[in-house]
């Protein structure tokens, strides 16, 4: 059985090495994934990578480029 999805990493550190890091997984039919608990006025860095699950084992693609996001609301 195969299942596809993606992981989203959100961090206060540009290199994702320190600071607060959150990772969320989403299935192939999720068009939007919300990461809650982010602080207003703070800058976060976000990256995404895809995965495929085959026979219970996950195979990951490489991480996307890092996008800088400032929380407004």
């Amino acid at each position: 059985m195969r299942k596809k999805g993606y992981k989203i990493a959100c961090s206060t550190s540009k290199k994702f090495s320190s600071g607060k890091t959150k990772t969320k997984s989403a299935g192939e039919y999720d068009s939007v994934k919300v990461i809650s608990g982010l602080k207003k006025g703070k800058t976060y860095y976000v990256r995404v990578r895809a995965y495929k699950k085959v026979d219970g084992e996950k195979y990951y693609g490489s991480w996307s480029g890092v996008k800088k996001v400032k929380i407004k609301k």
Side-chain angles (χ1 to χ4, degrees), residues 29-48:
Y29 300 110
D30 294 342
S31 60
V32 175
K33 193 67 177 178
V34 177
I35 298 177
S36 60
L38 304 180
K39 305 286 183 185
K40 180 181 175 181
K42 203 159 184 151
T43 300
Y44 291 91
Y45 299 91
V46 181
R47 63 185 180 177
V48 180

Side-chain angles (χ1 to χ4, degrees), residues 58-73:
K58 283 186 182 177
Y59 297 93
Y60 290 98
S62 58
W63 285 107
S64 69
V66 177
K67 180 76 176 174
K68 183 178 175 181
V69 179
K70 186 165 184 174
I71 306 301
K72 294 181 181 178
K73 292 185 178 184

Side-chain angles (χ1 to χ4, degrees), residues 13-25:
S13 168
K14 189 175 186 176
K15 296 184 179 187
F16 292 83
S17 58
S18 64
K20 187 182 212 179
T21 302
K22 293 184 173 199
T23 305
K24 295 278 187 177
S25 293

